[in-house]
Amino acid sequence: MGNDYVSAIAESGLTIFDPIEVGDPELWIPTPDLERILSEALVGIDGLDVPIRTRSKLVKQHVCDALGYPVPKSFTKIQPRFYGQMFDTYAQKANNLQIWNEELSPSRRYVLLRVDDAGVIRRIKVVNGEELAQLDTTGTLTQKYQARLVPGQAGAELIASADTDILLPHVRAGANLAEQVSPIDHPAHGLILPIGEVFDRLLGAVGQSFPDAGRDQERNRGAALHRIVCELLGYADYRDDGRFPDVRNQLIEVKLQTSPTIDLGLVLPASKEPLDVPQIEGTQIRHCDVRYALFSAHTDGVNVTLTNLYLTTGASFFTRFPQFGGKVLNKKLQIPLPSDFFYR
């Protein structure tokens, strides 16, 4: 599939400055595919042990070649530089990522290249603004979207009884996930379970427990819940690439709630902005079409026990969970990347 994108871009005659509709099945490169294509083409390239500005220009030229774009005579100072694919490049010799004079955007992609001391590209990660915001440990990003989970009387609530009108034509009851798809595959027509069936399958999680990895191990806690969700949905295996939404194939974002505050990051669930997935038979999925599975839980310090399930569409999210005020507004961001960032 990667070669198909590169060939289509090369044949289109487009430049990096020409806009492309998010989800265009031929020309828009979804983030997982973008990371794979660039890794296959660029890891091992050397010659980057040069001054920062020269290195930045060389990286952009290599990226153009890898994706099938002509190398421009100059890289116009627009945001982002690769306007058509909505991303910027950052060649990182150190773990301190610096983003100057712009806000983090959930729809912007950030191509981060790990360059070693000898000037060789060793690893590549592609993330969006939402994922970068989660890495901030400095307190720079002081405000993010949040909502409050107000418990109800029932142990499980299906808040939206039907999927959004956009998604509805593509769902199918009883879709066999075990034989045909993986949790991190892109969503496809006829292989998406209706929200009501998702609810019925996930009910089995309520009452289950798993070892508590600790309050400072939210990623590991979330992975344990994600594994349970994948099993209940009927997948043959558990896979997680850390991207939004957690179960991309079913457009399900999973949240573990041991407190009433729901962290939403930079993305409002009700947003009608396009989601970074390929179009489904000509339909572009939006953030508001994503299904949110929230699990309330309590911990005794040894085990986490799931107590409640709430399932809703992004479009109906705030009909049940009141939103807090506030949004991220930042300039000159410095985000320390975790030591294992390029190896996750």
Side-chain angles (χ1 to χ4, degrees), residues 17-272:
F17 310 115
D18 295 317
I20 293 172
E21 184 179 4
V22 175
D24 184 297
E26 295 184 356
L27 297 172
W28 174 264
I29 309 176
T31 294
D33 301 288
L34 180 61
E35 181 175 292
R36 184 178 65 253
I37 293 168
L38 292 178
S39 296
E40 291 173 353
L42 302 186
V43 169
I45 284 180
D46 59 10
L48 298 179
D49 188 20
V50 292
I52 292 176
R53 291 197 177 192
T54 304
R55 182 166 72 232
S56 178
K57 182 178 180 181
L58 289 174
V59 163
K60 291 180 178 67
Q61 291 173 345
H62 287 311
V63 169
C64 285
D65 288 336
L67 299 184
Y69 284 106
V71 177
K73 293 181 180 179
S74 65
F75 289 90
T76 306
K77 291 186 178 181
I78 61 172
Q79 293 181 342
R81 292 290 196 273
F82 287 79
Y83 185 78
Q85 297 289 340
M86 290 297 290
F87 71 78
D88 279 310
T89 56
Y90 298 85
Q92 294 292 128
K93 276 195 168 184
N95 285 338
N96 185 38
L97 173 64
Q98 298 185 40
I99 300 174
W100 298 97
N101 300 318
E102 60 178 294
E103 299 173 10
L104 283 182
S105 165
S107 59
R108 179 83 53 86
R109 277 101 68 86
Y110 300 81
V111 174
L112 280 61
L113 304 94
R114 167 62 83 194
V115 179
D116 67 15
D117 291 338
V120 180
I121 298 175
R122 293 303 183 188
R123 304 281 292 191
I124 295 175
K125 287 281 286 185
V126 183
V127 295
N128 60 32
E130 167 69 8
E131 292 164 312
L132 280 185
Q134 294 174 13
L135 299 178
D136 176 63
T137 58
T138 64
T140 305
L141 307 182
T142 55
Q143 290 185 322
K144 304 173 187 178
Y145 288 127
Q146 293 180 321
R148 178 170 293 278
L149 197 161
V150 181
Q153 296 297 317
E157 293 181 35
L158 179 59
I159 295 156
S161 59
D163 287 295
T164 59
D165 291 342
I166 287 287
L167 189 59
L168 205 54
H170 305 291
V171 304
R172 183 168 66 85
N176 189 332
L177 307 184
E179 295 181 2
Q180 302 185 58
V181 286
S182 151
I184 63 172
D185 285 347
H186 295 306
H189 177 80
L191 288 173
I192 303 172
L193 298 171
I195 192 169
E197 187 169 347
V198 171
F199 181 73
D200 291 339
R201 295 192 183 197
L202 294 187
L203 278 174
V206 177
Q208 289 200 38
S209 299
F210 53 84
D212 189 348
R215 291 188 179 276
D216 60 343
Q217 297 291 322
E218 288 299 324
R219 191 155 62 97
N220 291 332
R221 277 178 168 182
L225 174 57
H226 193 176
R227 187 181 297 274
I228 292 172
V229 167
C230 287
E231 180 181 346
L232 290 174
L233 289 175
Y235 288 104
D237 63 352
Y238 157 73
R239 296 183 67 186
D240 177 14
D241 60 7
R243 303 188 189 279
F244 177 91
D246 294 310
V247 186
R248 184 183 308 115
N249 177 250
Q250 294 298 305
L251 296 168
I252 298 173
E253 174 72 354
V254 180
K255 290 191 173 295
L256 177 63
Q257 295 297 136
T258 54
S259 78
T261 300
I262 306 169
D263 287 322
L264 301 171
L266 303 185
V267 180
L268 279 175
S271 169
K272 294 184 179 180

